[in-house]
Structures are given as C-alpha cells and as structure tokens.
Amino acid sequence: MKTHDFWYDLPEELIAQTPLARRDGSRLLALDRRTGKMAHRHFYDIIDYLRPGDCLVMNDSRVLPARLLGCRPTGGAVEVLLLRDLGSDCWECLVKPGRKMQPGQTVSFGGGELTANVQSMQADGNRVIRFRYQGIFLEVLAKLGKMPLPPYIKAELKDQERYQTVYSRAPGSAAAPTAGLHFTRELLEKIRAKGVTEAFVTLHVGLGTFRPVKAEEITQHHMHSELCMMGEETAALLNETRAKGGRIICVGTTSCRTLESLVNADGSFSPKSQWTDIFIYPGYRFKAMDGLITNFHLPESTLMMLVSAFAGRESILAAYAEAVRQRYRFFSFGDAMYIGDVESPAAP
C-alpha cells in the first residue's frame, strides 16, 4: 500500500489557527464504521453516541511548555524544543539553528535563570542537552517556556490552557492529545450521569507522531517509540466493561495506540507500562477498541492510516472530502470525528 493512497486535498484556510471560545462547540462528523454513513452534529452531541456501560479511555498526559527561546554567548538567538527527559537534567531536544548548536555550545534562557550545554548530537540530528537551574525544573520551565504548537499554527495562543485537556495531570508531552481538547468538565459530568465510565492511560506524545511518512510503501516506515502506561484501576475498569458487554471508546489516537499496545493476547487488560512503536494501518485487526473520537489528520500521515484501518480507507477519504465540502475546521484546534456505531444513536 502506498503512502499517497492516504492523500487528500485540503484548502489551507480550513486549518484552524485558534481554538473556539467554547471547547465543546466544535462540529462533529459521526461516521458509521460498518456502513460509511455520516451525520453532522456538534461535539456536545457526542453523548448521543455513548451508551450506559460504555467506557471512555482518555490520555491524561499534560503538555510541557517545552519551547525555549534563548541566546548564545555571542548574542545569537536559538530555539530549543524539549522532546524527551533522559534523566540527570538531560533532555533530547530539537534545536534551531542546528549549525550553531554543536556539542560544547552553551545557551542562556531568561537572562541566565536557566542555562544549558549541548552534550552530543544524535543520528537523527536531535541534540542531547544538559540544563542547569536553581529550584524545580518544571517550575522554571512553566515560567520561561512556551507551548510547542504545531508548525501549521501561525497564530499566538493567548491562553496556554487551551492546548491542555481539562483532565490532563501527568506532565510530559511535546504535543497535546488533541481529540480531548473538545471536552468540558460539564460535558464529562453529563456523560458520567448517563452511566458511561472514564478510564485514564498515559502516553507522552512526542513530535515523531507528526513526522511525515517519507517512504513510498507504508510498510517501510518506522514509527518512533513512546512510553505508554496503564494503571491497575484502568485495567480493572476495562476488564469490567468487557465482561458486562460495554464498549471501549478511545478519545484520540494516542489512547488507541496505548490500548492496542498493552492489551493481552486474550483481549484482557493488566497494569503495565512499556515503550511502543506500534504502527496501525489497513489490515490491522483491532483487539481493544470499539469506537474512536478523533480530530481530522494531516494527509499521508500515520494517523490517517490508523483511522483508515479502523473505518476503511474509502470511508475515511469520503468523510474527509465531505468535511472539506462542509467547511469543517482541521487539525489540532479543529473539529472532531466520532467513528463507531452511528446509525442508531440515542435520541438527542
């Protein structure tokens, strides 16, 4: 299967630059994964597609303000993006300009409140950087760092919390699990009142999720590794949901990849954590997920391949074409999809 099989034409003006004033006011395209039929709703209608006994699985990772703007001793400006905590105050980072950030280079942030030294260069061009500071690193980062918005978002984010889910609690991501951005606390309360349970997993999103697929054949693409975690409470709740005939609905592709990585061979769940480089594309047989809430993804991306594996490539491309015709908003701050049982939702 070719990477170009997952391409679609997207007018640039449909790429959402800012979040809506109301999180759950975004539009919702509901796609029946069995028939390909579609319905156009709003995100607050998601409750109509959930049933008592279902379980929503959400990634509780919290985005770090991981974009740091600093300067070299010569005064030259540099940008450092934290990707992964390596321990001992060392981080794997993306840097700009790369030619100026060679091993041994020092950098200062916030007038010297935070300093850094480039330790080494990795094969992919990323740098290992050691930081020096007084106090608690995450507090220093909260003061000096900026949200690492995707490159297709040009507008400045006025409220940093709008790039966090309302249930985020485990700092560590370099990008938001954006499907969850649509939920409000009030909507989640209504969903709980309907008899739908919530389970949390953690996968700290790395920028590798968004790296373009450069291989012509998708099977030649290699995914980056990310650490995913499932606790005892979540495992027990998922097993109970299965035993009682409820559905497991993942909020976002990161929750999907976590469950599909951690599910046991017999379909049960147990507490565990591991690194995953799972690559889900058409032909994959899902073992854990019954429904998916997700945003609209970039053409030819691994995430387009994942949703195509779940609903069928032709159905997904048809849904995306319809979303373009209907002028939906795309990507991180854009509108949402529900993929699952759609034709007979509960009465609005």
Side-chain angles (χ1 to χ4, degrees), residues 13-90:
E13 67 269 17
L14 296 185
I15 300 174
Q17 293 297 309
T18 56
L20 296 179
R22 177 178 172 180
R23 283 180 184 260
D24 63 357
S26 54
R27 297 168 75 184
L28 177 71
L29 193 159
L31 174 67
D32 193 296
R33 66 184 294 238
R34 298 166 303 169
T35 67
K37 291 189 176 181
M38 293 174 252
H40 299 287
R41 308 291 293 276
H42 286 89
F43 193 80
Y44 48 72
D45 296 319
I46 191 66
I47 192 170
D48 294 337
Y49 297 102
L50 303 176
R51 305 169 186 161
D54 286 347
C55 182
L56 277 182
V57 181
M58 296 176 278
N59 181 5
D60 65 3
S61 182
R62 187 168 176 82
V63 185
L64 293 171
R67 182 170 166 254
L68 290 165
L69 305 178
C71 61
R72 293 174 287 118
T74 59
V78 296
E79 180 176 330
V80 173
L81 182 62
L82 308 182
L83 296 181
R84 187 158 60 100
D85 186 356
L86 302 176
S88 302
D89 293 322
C90 287

Side-chain angles (χ1 to χ4, degrees), residues 57 177-180 250-257 289 292-295 306:
V57 181
T178 55
C250 287
V251 178
T253 56
T254 59
S255 297
C256 166
R257 293 180 68 241
M289 183 175 73
L292 177 65
I293 297 168
T294 187
N295 278 17
L306 185 154

Side-chain angles (χ1 to χ4, degrees), residues 221-336:
H221 177 71
H222 298 288
M223 295 287 286
H224 64 293
S225 293
E226 294 166 310
L227 181 64
C228 56
M229 295 165 275
M230 177 188 298
E232 185 173 342
E233 183 178 349
T234 289
L237 185 53
L238 294 176
N239 288 331
E240 182 181 357
T241 299
R242 276 278 187 260
K244 293 182 176 180
R247 299 175 304 167
I248 294 174
I249 313 293
C250 287
V251 178
T253 56
T254 59
S255 297
C256 166
R257 293 180 68 241
T258 297
L259 289 200
E260 295 297 327
S261 297
L262 300 183
V263 65
N264 295 322
D266 63 358
S268 67
F269 299 90
S270 53
K272 65 177 76 169
S273 63
Q274 67 184 49
W275 289 91
T276 180
D277 60 357
I278 189 171
F279 183 15
I280 298 175
Y281 53 85
Y284 179 85
R285 184 175 180 180
F286 288 84
K287 300 178 285 294
M289 183 175 73
D290 302 305
L292 177 65
I293 297 168
T294 187
N295 278 17
F296 291 93
H297 304 295
L298 276 71
E300 299 184 336
S301 64
T302 59
L303 303 183
M304 274 292 288
M305 297 170 191
L306 185 154
V307 295
S308 295
F310 190 57
R313 186 181 72 91
E314 292 185 359
S315 289
I316 287 294
L317 290 178
Y320 272 57
E322 178 65 13
V324 170
R325 282 193 294 271
Q326 297 284 343
R327 309 294 290 177
Y328 274 65
R329 302 166 78 244
F330 279 68
F331 305 160
S332 294
F333 288 140
D335 295 317

Side-chain angles (χ1 to χ4, degrees), residues 12 15-18 67 149-157 333:
E12 187 174 351
I15 300 174
Q17 293 297 309
T18 56
R67 182 170 166 254
L149 297 178
Y152 50 76
I153 294 178
K154 310 301 181 185
E156 192 72 22
L157 182 62
F333 288 140

Side-chain angles (χ1 to χ4, degrees), residues 66-293:
R67 182 170 166 254
L68 290 165
L69 305 178
C71 61
R72 293 174 287 118
T74 59
V78 296
E79 180 176 330
V80 173
L81 182 62
L82 308 182
L83 296 181
R84 187 158 60 100
D85 186 356
L86 302 176
S88 302
D89 293 322
C90 287
W91 286 73
E92 178 184 354
C93 303
L94 283 174
V95 299
K96 290 194 301 187
R99 66 184 184 281
K100 300 292 186 180
M101 293 288 283
Q102 301 300 317
Q105 177 68 63
T106 59
V107 184
S108 175
F109 307 93
E113 187 171 351
L114 177 67
T115 59
N117 181 269
V118 181
Q119 302 290 295
S120 62
M121 183 187 303
Q122 297 182 323
D124 58 6
N126 293 348
R127 307 307 199 265
V128 174
I129 295 180
R130 184 184 300 275
F131 291 91
R132 291 285 180 263
Y133 53 91
Q134 295 293 323
I136 300 173
F137 182 70
L138 290 181
E139 293 180 357
V140 175
L141 193 62
K143 180 179 178 181
L144 300 180
K146 296 179 178 293
M147 279 295 169
L149 297 178
Y152 50 76
I153 294 178
K154 310 301 181 185
E156 192 72 22
L157 182 62
K158 295 180 180 179
D159 179 5
Q160 304 257 71
E161 281 300 308
R162 289 310 306 273
Y163 198 55
Q164 305 280 14
T165 63
V166 297
Y167 48 78
S168 64
R169 57 189 177 188
S173 277
T178 55
L181 296 179
H182 302 281
F183 285 95
T184 64
R185 290 183 176 86
E186 293 76 16
L187 178 58
L188 287 171
E189 183 59 41
K190 291 178 181 178
I191 290 171
R192 285 191 288 269
K194 189 172 183 177
V196 177
T197 57
E198 300 170 3
F200 294 95
V201 294
T202 303
L203 183 146
H204 292 315
V205 186
L207 291 187
T209 299
F210 309 103
R211 284 177 179 161
V213 179
K214 296 181 178 179
E216 184 178 352
E217 296 281 347
I218 65 173
T219 54
Q220 296 174 357
H221 177 71
H222 298 288
M223 295 287 286
H224 64 293
S225 293
E226 294 166 310
L227 181 64
C228 56
M229 295 165 275
M230 177 188 298
E232 185 173 342
E233 183 178 349
T234 289
L237 185 53
L238 294 176
N239 288 331
E240 182 181 357
T241 299
R242 276 278 187 260
K244 293 182 176 180
R247 299 175 304 167
I248 294 174
I249 313 293
C250 287
V251 178
T253 56
T254 59
S255 297
C256 166
R257 293 180 68 241
T258 297
L259 289 200
E260 295 297 327
S261 297
L262 300 183
V263 65
N264 295 322
D266 63 358
S268 67
F269 299 90
S270 53
K272 65 177 76 169
S273 63
Q274 67 184 49
W275 289 91
T276 180
D277 60 357
I278 189 171
F279 183 15
I280 298 175
Y281 53 85
Y284 179 85
R285 184 175 180 180
F286 288 84
K287 300 178 285 294
M289 183 175 73
D290 302 305
L292 177 65
I293 297 168

